Amino acid sequence: RRTAPRTHHRRCTPTHRRCTPTLHRRRTAATMTDAPTCNAKQLAGLALLKENKIDFEDVHTTLGKIVGNVVNAPEEPKYKRLKTTNAKIKALCSTPGARQLLVGSGFVEEEEALALPADADIAPMQAALQALTAQQAARKEEDEAAKAEAVKEQRAKAMAARKAAEPAGPQVKASHILL
């Protein structure tokens, strides 16, 4: 009987058979040094965003789009200025953590806008984008696990109710019914 190989890390897939812990440590160590890291303001913003229960997906999608546009087209000036008078940007900035993440990524607060200076480094933006994507994926996994647990509990309750409804003693066939 052949079973799927166990994975030792969530990044590894079941088909990734040759991944040993030693090899995996080497790969992640190399990957981690290549990835930009978040600064203190970004981490504070991400922590506040993680606690958001109401519109987590909308906020992360919008922030990901804003930061992703800057990362993908760093020379495009239209992505470097966010008017805070815009209703969607105003709602986004009122979410705890969103403004901190944007300011930590390099945006500067102006009178009616958040603007990214022309000479701003893209590395903090890349770090913010990676962190937002990772946070979204982690929340999705948590939600799926919670759903699976809820289904499991619901099935257990249904089974318990079914067993409680069954008669306690051995079932006796009616002898008066002729076949």
Side-chain angles (χ1 to χ4, degrees):
R1 180 175 164 210
R2 187 172 183 201
T3 60
R6 287 180 43 199
T7 59
H8 61 277
H9 195 273
R10 71 178 134 189
R11 288 187 199 165
C12 293
T13 60
T15 57
H16 193 202
R17 291 186 175 95
R18 294 178 45 197
C19 190
T20 62
T22 311
L23 179 64
H24 185 69
R25 263 183 269 165
R26 272 188 258 136
R27 284 184 183 163
T28 53
T31 308
M32 291 174 101
T33 57
D34 295 342
T37 57
C38 293
N39 60 36
K41 283 186 181 179
Q42 287 175 317
L43 292 175
L46 286 167
L48 289 171
L49 285 170
K50 186 176 183 180
E51 295 172 7
N52 186 2
K53 303 283 186 213
I54 300 169
D55 52 354
F56 179 89
E57 196 64 36
D58 293 338
V59 170
H60 276 69
T61 303
T62 307
L63 279 171
K65 197 172 285 188
I66 290 169
V67 175
N69 285 340
V70 173
V71 169
N72 293 331
E75 301 303 318
E76 189 68 40
K78 69 180 178 183
Y79 298 135
K80 293 185 173 192
R81 186 169 177 82
L82 305 173
K83 294 181 182 177
T84 53
T85 55
N86 179 325
K88 193 151 182 130
I89 300 299
K90 187 184 287 186
L92 178 72
C93 288
S94 69
T95 304
R99 187 179 291 266
Q100 289 92 328
L101 181 70
L102 290 171
V103 170
S105 299
F107 279 92
V108 178
E109 294 188 55
E110 293 179 353
E111 190 171 319
E112 291 185 357
L114 287 171
L116 190 65
D119 61 344
D121 188 19
I122 297 299
M125 287 288 182
Q126 291 171 334
L129 184 61
Q130 287 177 352
L132 282 169
T133 306
Q135 202 173 59
Q136 237 176 339
R139 173 66 70 94
K140 191 174 183 178
E141 284 180 17
E142 289 172 8
D143 289 347
E144 288 174 0
K147 278 184 184 179
E149 186 64 31
V151 167
K152 188 176 179 182
E153 287 178 15
Q154 187 179 15
R155 286 182 182 161
K157 285 180 184 178
M159 193 62 122
R162 185 183 295 166
K163 285 187 179 185
E166 291 179 2
Q171 292 192 1
V172 179
K173 290 186 178 180
S175 59
H176 66 280
I177 300 177
L178 297 173
L179 297 176

